[in-house]
Amino acid sequence: MTSSQTRPLTLEDFQRGSSDVAAQGSDAASLIARLLQQQQQLTAVEEFSRDHVLNRVPDQARYYEKLLPATPPGPGQQYAFEVDLDRCSGCKACVTACHSLNGLDEGETWRDVGMLVGGTETAPVMQHVTAACHHCVEPACMIACPVNAYEKSPLTGIVKHLDDQCFGCQYCTLACPYNVPKYHKSKGIVRKCDMCSSRLAKGEAPACVQACPHEAIAIRTVTIQKVIEDSEADHFLPAAPEPSLTLPTTTYKTKRVFPRNMLPADYYSVSPEHPHWPLIVMLVLTQLSVGAFTIGVLLDATLASGLGAVFRPLHATNALLLGLLALAASTCHLGRPLYAFRGVLGWRHSWLSREIAFFGLFAALAVQYAVACWTGSSAAPLGLAWAEFVTPHLHLAGGAVAVAGLIGLFCSVMIYVFTQRDLWSFGQTLVRFGLTAALLGTTTTLLSFLLLKWLVDPEAAGRLIVGVGQPLTGALLVLGITKLLFDGALLRHLASRRMTSLKRSALLVSGALSTEAFARLGLGILGGIAMPAMLLGQLNDISNIDANPIIATTICLAWLGCLGGELFERYLFFAAVSSPRMPGGVRP
């Protein structure tokens, strides 16, 4: 049976067939057979006609047709959201529709509605703002991603997240200045708006466009060159992150002139950010390990060969173990740690991939160096046959470990510089991480002297403490004071009249995070000032190191104090940072 032999069934056929089933018996069976056969024989035109007869075309189609571009994007163009602020009432129908269509979990949103307020007491102005992914020309999420879990369509310009590729590092949530990617803890991945691309491909409007009762959201095609030119004027949205950061394509239009004091409703609200404890441990311990290796290599070049041969194996092992612990801690930050091996895929564009690669190289070289130190040392219990081959190359191997670690540390700095946050600026982050490496590297070297005294060679350890202990302790004291002064300098922004991002951070440190700030200060004074000052006095007064148990206690307290202080400092580094964001609502 073909369409030429049998007319297409209409709605009346369906209704008549269903009502006559009981009366007609075999005729009903014949009708069902016809229906089943015709389902396989209908042409595309007949299917379209049937859908209209059965009212399967969305009722809103005639309304949202004008909210979609007439033609797909051409060369140099892409799709973009257009928001008419004069029409937005803040009803959040777009949020509900997005949530429902995409099957989001409770509390998960890909589109948000914020508010701008301004004007005067007699003429106040309030403006609702709806925002989702801006599908930027230069998306920071895609550039930052270490596993290439983002792609920007060359035809439509839509930025999609590839859920299967994501391993949940959450770096894109830090890199995006508009707080678009959202981490889904139970799934262990990040998810975001894709402009309902599957609906757009079929000529249907995205959920938010179709649901808005005021037609405040539309899909338009924009010229990429015009987006770039418009970003120079910074006319995006009052108090929103600068468009020059990522070149967002969303257009906000209005016929009104906003007052000069128009600001987000949550502009003066400050709240701590997520601290990322695995990253805190990873950063502090990697910088400790790099600093310890670097100081160890420098000392090894100045010590007598006998002392160096005794000191080198234990110190290299000590620094290596702490470095490996740091790398292990970093995997705890991943939502899907089994896919950690993907981390180097984005090495061409992602600083996180480069950090992973260089710290991986650092760990591999450090393991070989530590083994070589033991097997090439006269104090080593194993591998004396290797001594003649390994010993001449130890300085070169140690230098390679230090260089790889320092490059990895620089990549760590750039990871946070890329996010364009003032507290994480290049100068601030480089000094902060560098001082941490120097401080913890110095106190770990003193701890290695103590471990050498307890575990390997008390006489050689005494000579080391007497010979280089005092200059190292003096350096530790200077570094401890410098680091505390550097951290405390943030509080000077409290005097700023403007609510800058650094003032927000200072308000958090002196307010909601004051307990952590005092803990950081107390531990920093203990490990970086009090204990080094006491140790200097002990080293000046006592020549017989073995007879003074206070020295061992002082070194241990200095190491624990510095390590604890730096962990709290790094907690504040994450929790007190002021995150750029789109306008939000009123916060309690």
Side-chain angles (χ1 to χ4, degrees):
M1 183 183 299
T2 64
S3 57
S4 60
Q5 297 170 329
T6 305
R7 65 178 179 82
L9 295 176
T10 65
L11 180 61
E12 289 74 18
D13 291 329
F14 284 91
Q15 295 171 340
R16 184 171 56 253
S18 59
S19 63
D20 293 345
V21 167
Q24 295 184 6
S26 59
D27 290 341
S30 175
L31 174 63
I32 293 173
R34 288 178 58 201
L35 292 174
L36 293 175
Q37 190 171 11
Q38 193 172 39
Q39 288 289 332
Q40 302 175 4
Q41 299 293 333
L42 291 178
T43 66
V45 173
E46 289 168 341
E47 286 185 359
F48 184 76
S49 174
R50 183 190 59 181
D51 287 344
H52 272 275
V53 169
L54 298 179
N55 293 323
R56 291 180 179 174
V57 175
D59 293 336
Q60 297 293 316
R62 63 183 184 276
Y63 299 116
Y64 65 66
E65 251 181 9
K66 62 183 178 182
L67 301 176
L68 297 178
T71 59
Q77 295 181 325
Q78 73 163 77
Y79 283 133
F81 285 113
E82 180 185 80
V83 177
D84 189 339
L85 295 176
D86 297 338
R87 289 175 174 265
C88 182
S89 66
C91 67
K92 298 187 179 180
C94 54
V95 178
T96 303
C98 176
H99 187 280
S100 177
L101 179 73
N102 292 290
L104 306 186
D105 290 348
E106 184 177 357
E108 185 182 15
T109 60
W110 290 356
R111 177 170 282 279
D112 300 294
V113 174
M115 187 186 300
L116 293 169
V117 293
T120 64
E121 292 183 359
T122 57
V125 177
M126 182 180 71
Q127 175 63 60
H128 291 98
V129 177
T130 177
C133 179
H134 300 301
H135 300 280
C136 306
V137 174
E138 297 178 357
C141 56
M142 184 176 73
I143 298 171
C145 182
V147 295
N148 296 331
Y150 287 90
E151 64 177 12
K152 184 175 176 67
S153 170
L155 299 178
T156 64
I158 296 174
V159 179
K160 295 183 180 180
H161 180 263
L162 309 177
D163 291 358
D164 292 340
Q165 186 71 7
C166 178
F167 69 165
C169 71
Q170 305 168 57
Y171 184 33
C172 57
T173 66
L174 299 178
C176 176
Y178 304 102
N179 194 31
V180 168
K182 306 293 175 63
Y183 180 64
H184 194 293
K185 187 174 182 179
S186 64
K187 296 182 183 296
I189 61 172
V190 167
R191 305 201 296 179
K192 64 174 282 294
C193 156
D194 66 349
M195 204 182 277
C196 293
S197 54
S198 59
R199 294 164 68 93
L200 271 178
K202 297 179 180 179
E204 189 160 355
C208 56
V209 174
Q210 186 170 337
C212 180
H214 307 295
E215 300 181 354
I217 310 173
I219 303 296
R220 301 294 184 227
T221 55
V222 295
T223 303
I224 294 175
Q225 185 58 39
K226 188 176 186 303
V227 172
I228 297 173
E229 294 172 355
D230 290 346
S231 70
E232 293 290 332
D234 198 16
H235 291 160
F236 182 54
L237 201 65
E242 296 180 4
S244 59
L245 298 176
T246 60
L247 303 177
T249 60
T250 301
T251 301
Y252 289 95
K253 66 177 187 178
T254 178
K255 295 179 180 178
R256 295 181 293 169
V257 178
F258 288 141
R260 295 172 61 185
N261 65 344
M262 201 73 166
L263 292 172
D266 60 346
Y267 184 75
Y268 292 101
S269 300
V270 292
S271 57
E273 295 293 319
H274 181 53
H276 301 285
W277 269 109
L279 291 184
I280 292 171
V281 175
M282 186 276 290
L283 285 173
V284 170
L285 291 186
T286 51
Q287 288 156 28
L288 180 154
S289 183
V290 171
F293 266 112
T294 303
I295 293 174
V297 169
L298 295 175
L299 277 181
D300 195 22
T302 60
L303 292 174
S305 59
L307 282 179
V310 176
F311 163 74
R312 190 186 304 124
L314 184 64
H315 182 66
T317 304
N318 191 21
L320 170 64
L321 292 177
L322 291 168
L324 293 178
L325 179 62
L327 298 183
S330 67
T331 62
C332 297
H333 184 251
L334 301 179
R336 301 201 295 176
L338 293 178
Y339 298 98
F341 63 90
R342 295 178 177 173
V344 297
L345 294 178
W347 66 271
R348 293 178 181 273
H349 54 81
S350 173
W351 282 107
L352 181 54
S353 277
R354 295 163 187 166
E355 181 200 49
I356 294 171
F358 277 106
F359 275 136
L361 176 63
F362 167 74
L365 292 176
V367 169
Q368 296 180 31
Y369 176 68
V371 171
C373 286
W374 283 109
T375 57
S377 170
S378 59
L382 300 172
L384 293 180
W386 285 21
E388 294 183 0
F389 173 77
V390 175
T391 301
H393 304 286
L394 283 179
H395 294 302
L396 181 61
V401 173
V403 169
L406 290 171
I407 296 175
L409 191 150
F410 178 78
C411 292
S412 294
V413 171
M414 294 307 300
I415 284 173
Y416 300 97
V417 172
F418 180 78
T419 65
Q420 303 284 335
R421 304 184 185 191
D422 290 339
L423 187 64
W424 295 351
S425 65
F426 179 77
Q428 291 236 13
T429 309
L430 181 64
V431 172
R432 188 184 303 275
F433 287 10
L435 285 175
T436 297
L439 181 75
L440 295 181
T442 301
T443 189
T444 301
T445 302
L446 290 171
L447 182 65
S448 294
F449 291 165
L450 189 60
L451 294 175
L452 186 67
K453 176 178 178 294
W454 288 342
L455 303 176
V456 180
D457 192 334
E459 181 182 352
R463 293 168 58 193
L464 284 170
I465 293 175
V466 171
V468 298
Q470 190 168 358
L472 280 179
T473 304
L476 177 60
L477 181 60
V478 172
L479 288 168
I481 295 173
T482 303
K483 187 66 190 298
L484 287 176
L485 290 175
F486 176 80
D487 293 342
L490 176 66
L491 297 178
R492 75 183 189 275
H493 294 284
L494 290 173
S496 174
R497 296 181 62 182
R498 295 187 62 231
M499 182 59 81
T500 63
S501 63
L502 290 176
K503 183 175 181 177
R504 296 176 196 276
S505 298
L507 287 170
L508 284 171
V509 170
S510 62
L513 300 173
S514 59
T515 301
E516 292 81 359
F518 278 119
R520 187 271 176 278
L521 179 62
L523 289 170
I525 292 175
L526 174 69
I529 298 178
M531 291 301 102
M534 183 181 297
L535 185 59
L536 278 176
Q538 296 295 326
L539 293 177
N540 283 331
D541 295 341
I542 296 178
S543 58
N544 186 0
I545 303 300
D546 294 333
N548 187 3
I550 298 178
I551 290 179
T553 304
T554 305
I555 291 176
C556 289
L557 287 176
W559 187 78
L560 291 173
C562 287
L563 179 61
E566 292 307 298
L567 288 172
F568 274 106
E569 179 271 317
R570 207 50 46 89
Y571 177 93
L572 296 173
F573 175 78
F574 283 106
V577 69
S578 176
S579 301
R581 57 178 182 259
M582 293 294 288
V586 178
R587 298 188 183 185

